[in-house]
Amino acid sequence: MEKLISRAPAVKIQQLRKTYENDTVLAIKGLDLTVGSGELLALIGPDGAGKTSLFRILATLILPDGGQVEVLGYDVVKDFQSLRLITGYMPGRFALYQDLTVLENLSFFATVFNTSIEANYDIIRDIYVQLEPFKHRRASQLSGGMKQKLALCCTLVHKPSILLLDEPTTGVDPVSRQEFWDILDKLKADGMTMIVSTPYMDEARRCDRIAMMNRGELLDISTPEALIDGFGKPLYAIQSDRMFALLQDLRKYPVTDTCFAFGEAHHVTFKKSIQVDDLRGYLQMQGHHHVDIAQIQPTVEDCFMDQLAS
Amino acid sequence: MSTFKYVLQKEFQQIRRNPTIVRMMLAVPIIQLIVLPFAADYEIKQLNLAVVDQDHSSYSRELIGQMTASGYFQLANYSSNFNEAMGAVERNEADLILEIPAHFERDLVREDGATLALHANAINQVKGGLSQLYAGQIIRRFNNQIRSEWVQWPRYSPVEMVKIEPQLWFNPHINYHLFMVPGILAVLITMVGSFLASMNIVQEKEAGTIEQINVTPIKKYQFLLGKMIPFWVMGMFSLTLGLVIAYVVYGIVSVGPLWVIYAFSAFYLAAILGIGLLISTFADNQQQATFVSFFFVMIFILMSGLYTPVESMPDWAKVIAYANPVTYMIQVVRGVMIKGAGFMDILPFVGIIGAFGIFFNALAVWRYRKTV
């Protein structure tokens, strides 16, 4: 992975600041970030972390208040016109013409970039074949997944060199999400640089690196493997017959460090190494039955929660 | 160029797909032009007359007869009590009271003069004024008639030598439609221009599509022209439809050349679209755009001389009226259609509207750059 980043960076952000409403709301404070050429970077973080602001600055839609942002060697403030020709930005909400058909939307966005669907057919072919049966249907009548595929198709139709995708799969069913990411994998294989924000950790796991943001700051950036390796303490998944009481009892346990409800089990870390049997004894004393304690591999989400907690 | 052509094509396609706009395009001119002039008719016919006759003489009967025979008045109330006649006015049964005092005939014969009183209900000032005027004319004629009857020999000219013969130029029959229809034509294209254009751009803001447009290399002027040209065309279409209705329904044929109206409208629509554009840069959603447009269009129309002549407004209101593009549009359409004004006559107005257009559009484009 190091060799990817050592190549000429596609995005170079230094000390980026962005505020809203006359400096009262701080969206991004002093962000430094470098994205390698051909890299697929996941951007994760809670609501209000500054992800969308970052995307809008990279897409030249809003101006930064401080710092330097270079995309593919172009400055986002001075060279915004050249940059728009080679950037593909897909906003978080569906922003195509609902009253135009699939084909009309596509040819509109091709034409405003002075190109045509035919000229760049090779890059959109994989998505377009899925859309083709509905090409005369209006965008408003497409399913959520199809809408996102159309939006990606429109974003790609001018053959950009970098893709900025702001939560492209939010609210999309799992099958369509899977298909969408298969498309991104293919684009990556073709050498496309991509920055994708996502609320789904399984998607972040598929990226080269994961950048965690919170309150306008970069918490951490590393490969998914390094992120998980860096977790650095044993993680336990614990279940019993009374899950809610279990959460409270675990949090009361003196050596418990963090404890989060996590699907079927609670994920728990401890301040020092523990004896599983001691813990089991404690929980049975609290009246829990069928206590199941297992040490597990941390996931990206565990790392994220851990980072947020610290 | 092909990009711009495609942008235009997209705009037209979207308008065509919007059934409300298409229907309104047809319905608004038809309804405005057919319903409004018929309903808001200033022509005064069948005024209700209350007579207070305290004389009951042959002269008083003669006068009442002439009043009702004129066609302007119908006798609604006849009494010898003023309070009763006033009651009829209060109940809205009478518009004008003609009061004939006691000894009217005797005074006329013996003292060579008598007094009559006319009381008009002036809640509707136009109606009140006109009823006074009509009644005054009838009474004067009656006066001349009895004077000539009395003359035994022509010692001096029996009837008045100086006579006023009113000549109503350009609209000899005071045809209200001829006055109103051209004004409504002007209002019509104002509405198409300001409402529809501002809403359309705001719609792109609401849908978020403007964001997608802004990251494309499309030029601002291409985008804005793409928005304005379809509505410019629609405004011209409305104007044409309005002219056809004016001819078919009211038989109004423009005295002056129609191309002058079109030429002026071309500039006028550009100015109005500039206002629409300006509103759209301030509004974040269609609700706001509608309210602001409505506010301005309302003021523009009321202050335009459509209903009340600008010349009779107080000075401060005149300032507003002359800062209002609709005023000029109405003057031009009326001037050409009724008076037969030519292009050279309206040239100063073209200059004024051109200045309005440059001002509003420049301001709008400047605002647009800043906000988006």
Side-chain angles (χ1 to χ4, degrees):
Chain A
M1 207 45 57
E2 284 307 310
K3 67 178 191 299
L4 254 184
I5 297 154
S6 64
R7 267 198 270 164
V11 179
K12 220 164 95 188
I13 302 171
Q14 286 174 317
Q15 285 305 306
L16 173 64
R17 278 182 74 254
K18 177 70 199 174
T19 55
Y20 292 110
E21 289 167 28
N22 299 321
D23 297 346
T24 52
V25 183
L26 207 59
I28 297 175
K29 35 190 171 188
L31 186 86
D32 289 295
L33 180 66
T34 307
V35 184
S37 179
E39 186 179 352
L40 173 54
L41 178 78
L43 208 54
I44 62 174
D47 292 335
K51 291 170 290 173
T52 299
S53 293
L54 180 59
F55 274 121
R56 288 165 60 89
I57 289 170
L58 291 173
T60 74
L61 277 170
I62 54 175
L63 296 175
D65 292 320
Q68 281 287 315
V69 183
E70 261 183 36
V71 179
L72 302 166
Y74 294 105
D75 187 281
V76 288
V77 181
K78 289 201 292 279
D79 310 318
F80 72 95
Q81 274 168 327
S82 327
L83 201 48
R84 284 180 183 178
L85 288 170
I86 51 170
T87 309
Y89 168 58
M90 185 173 152
R93 62 192 267 232
F94 185 71
L96 299 179
Y97 292 101
Q98 308 256 10
D99 48 354
L100 295 184
T101 65
V102 168
L103 198 57
E104 283 164 353
N105 265 303
L106 206 49
S107 26
F108 175 73
F109 283 101
T111 315
V112 293
F113 276 102
N114 276 317
T115 179
S116 64
I117 301 176
E118 294 75 29
N120 290 327
Y121 187 68
D122 53 327
I123 190 167
I124 59 167
R125 182 178 45 226
D126 292 331
I127 321 173
Y128 189 68
V129 289
Q130 298 180 39
L131 288 165
E132 194 150 27
F134 314 106
K135 66 181 179 186
H136 293 303
R137 191 180 284 191
R138 293 192 189 171
S140 57
Q141 282 149 13
L142 291 176
S143 68
M146 276 297 168
K147 273 185 185 162
Q148 293 310 87
K149 280 177 202 161
L150 173 61
L152 181 63
C153 212
C154 288
T155 310
L156 283 172
V157 75
H158 63 284
K159 216 169 185 174
S161 307
I162 180 167
L163 267 187
L164 308 168
L165 310 176
D166 192 359
E167 303 210 350
T169 53
T170 301
V172 173
D173 70 272
V175 178
S176 295
R177 259 177 11 143
Q178 184 65 40
E179 286 171 354
F180 195 91
W181 274 87
D182 289 344
I183 295 165
L184 295 192
D185 280 344
K186 272 187 198 141
L187 289 170
K188 184 183 152 43
D190 293 340
M192 178 80 77
T193 307
M194 286 180 277
I195 304 179
V196 187
S197 69
T198 175
Y200 304 108
M201 299 302 149
D202 58 313
E203 292 182 354
R205 186 78 182 77
R206 298 176 69 151
C207 298
D208 293 331
R209 286 196 303 168
I210 300 171
M212 288 184 192
M213 280 182 80
N214 191 30
R215 294 163 192 237
E217 285 173 315
L218 192 63
L219 292 181
D220 187 25
I221 177 164
S222 54
T223 62
E225 296 79 18
L227 195 70
I228 289 164
D229 289 347
F231 194 72
K233 46 197 163 183
L235 179 73
Y236 295 91
I238 303 174
Q239 281 174 284
S240 82
D241 57 342
R242 292 159 52 219
M243 289 302 282
F244 185 64
L246 181 67
L247 189 68
Q248 290 171 319
D249 291 335
L250 278 168
R251 282 184 176 161
K252 267 186 256 165
Y253 193 59
V255 291
T256 299
D257 188 10
T258 60
C259 176
F260 298 107
F262 219 98
E264 292 189 336
H266 298 320
H267 286 194
V268 191
T269 62
F270 299 97
K271 289 173 189 148
K272 54 181 191 186
S273 60
I274 55 146
Q275 292 298 318
V276 171
D277 288 337
D278 290 351
L279 178 62
R280 193 187 308 275
Y282 163 76
L283 291 175
Q284 277 165 350
M285 252 169 56
Q286 301 296 324
H288 292 279
H289 303 285
H290 310 294
V291 176
D292 182 25
I293 302 174
Q295 188 172 355
I296 51 161
Q297 271 292 314
T299 64
V300 173
E301 193 161 355
D302 291 310
C303 301
F304 181 53
M305 295 302 283
D306 190 54
Q307 285 278 357
L308 279 184
S310 59
Chain B
M1 192 57 216
S2 71
T3 308
F4 182 60
K5 227 175 77 189
Y6 204 85
V7 171
L8 260 187
Q9 194 186 327
K10 170 220 147 214
E11 294 297 336
F12 275 114
Q13 217 153 28
Q14 286 187 298
I15 291 168
R16 250 207 338 268
R17 297 241 171 104
N18 190 334
T20 314
I21 289 193
V22 176
R23 266 181 241 140
M24 287 304 278
M25 282 299 303
L26 295 170
V28 169
I30 294 172
I31 291 173
Q32 282 207 345
L33 275 171
I34 293 180
V35 175
L36 238 74
F38 271 127
D41 196 336
Y42 280 0
E43 220 180 329
I44 306 298
K45 287 169 292 208
Q46 305 288 307
L47 286 159
N48 290 315
L49 176 71
V51 175
V52 181
D53 188 356
Q54 291 163 337
D55 194 41
H56 300 290
S57 61
S58 58
Y59 273 145
S60 73
R61 267 195 306 279
E62 171 73 21
L63 178 58
I64 294 162
Q66 288 199 9
M67 292 282 269
T68 49
S70 69
Y72 291 118
F73 298 100
Q74 61 185 13
L75 194 59
N77 188 291
Y78 181 85
S79 67
S80 47
N81 180 345
F82 181 76
N83 286 338
E84 197 193 319
M86 202 57 208
V89 171
E90 279 162 5
R91 287 191 304 276
N92 223 2
E93 289 165 10
D95 303 305
L96 181 75
I97 303 173
L98 170 67
E99 194 179 356
I100 305 172
H103 317 304
F104 171 70
E105 188 178 279
R106 194 191 71 195
D107 291 352
L108 206 55
V109 175
R110 280 203 202 151
E111 295 169 26
D112 209 11
T115 316
L116 288 170
L118 283 174
H119 308 267
N121 175 4
I123 286 177
N124 180 339
Q125 49 138 341
V126 180
K127 211 168 170 184
L130 279 177
S131 63
Q132 282 258 24
L133 189 77
Y134 294 149
Q137 280 174 0
I138 296 164
I139 293 165
R140 198 176 314 125
R141 210 179 310 134
F142 171 75
N143 189 12
N144 286 338
Q145 184 192 326
I146 53 175
R147 281 179 67 183
S148 54
E149 276 172 16
W150 292 349
V151 170
Q152 315 275 312
W153 57 89
R155 201 170 48 193
Y156 51 91
S157 177
V159 282
E160 56 183 321
M161 294 293 290
V162 182
K163 204 171 157 195
I164 298 166
E165 195 62 53
Q167 290 285 323
L168 298 165
W169 276 85
F170 308 121
N171 189 359
H173 306 295
I174 318 189
N175 180 345
Y176 178 71
H177 300 150
L178 195 54
F179 175 72
M180 215 52 202
V181 169
I184 289 174
L185 273 178
V187 169
L188 201 67
I189 68 169
T190 308
M191 286 177 59
V192 171
S194 63
F195 275 108
L196 294 182
S198 67
M199 300 271 265
N200 191 287
I201 297 172
V202 173
Q203 204 179 349
E204 296 244 2
K205 273 195 198 177
E206 256 182 353
T209 45
I210 203 153
E211 199 141 284
Q212 197 81 73
I213 289 284
N214 282 340
V215 295
T216 69
I218 186 172
K219 301 275 187 303
K220 298 258 191 252
Y221 80 88
Q222 288 178 324
F223 177 70
L224 293 179
L225 273 181
K227 287 287 174 199
M228 289 170 79
I229 289 173
F231 293 105
W232 188 90
V233 172
M234 280 163 70
M236 287 300 198
F237 170 79
S238 281
L239 176 67
T240 309
L241 187 60
L243 287 169
V244 170
I245 293 171
Y247 173 71
V248 173
V249 179
Y250 301 102
I252 297 173
V253 182
S254 177
V255 181
L258 279 180
W259 71 264
V260 177
I261 294 181
Y262 278 99
F264 185 79
S265 300
F267 287 96
Y268 177 74
L269 267 168
I272 289 295
L273 286 168
I275 297 175
L277 191 61
L278 188 60
I279 291 171
S280 75
T281 66
F282 284 100
D284 292 323
N285 54 50
Q286 294 189 59
Q287 233 170 12
Q288 289 174 10
T290 315
F291 254 127
V292 177
S293 301
F294 189 74
F295 171 75
F296 279 108
V297 168
M298 203 70 183
I299 289 186
F300 280 169
I301 290 174
L302 290 177
M303 300 298 288
S304 65
L306 175 64
Y307 298 106
T308 44
V310 174
E311 288 73 17
S312 62
M313 290 179 184
D315 285 340
W316 61 266
K318 270 186 202 166
V319 174
I320 300 177
Y322 286 122
N324 170 3
V326 184
T327 307
Y328 301 101
M329 183 69 199
I330 288 180
Q331 286 189 5
V332 168
V333 178
R334 279 182 183 157
V336 174
M337 289 189 75
I338 305 175
K339 238 160 88 181
F343 190 71
M344 290 318 284
D345 301 313
I346 65 150
L347 204 54
F349 294 126
V350 176
I352 293 169
I353 283 298
F356 270 119
I358 291 167
F359 174 73
F360 286 123
N361 282 292
L363 194 61
V365 170
W366 176 73
R367 278 273 320 169
Y368 183 84
R369 272 171 190 281
K370 241 186 99 180
T371 51
V372 189

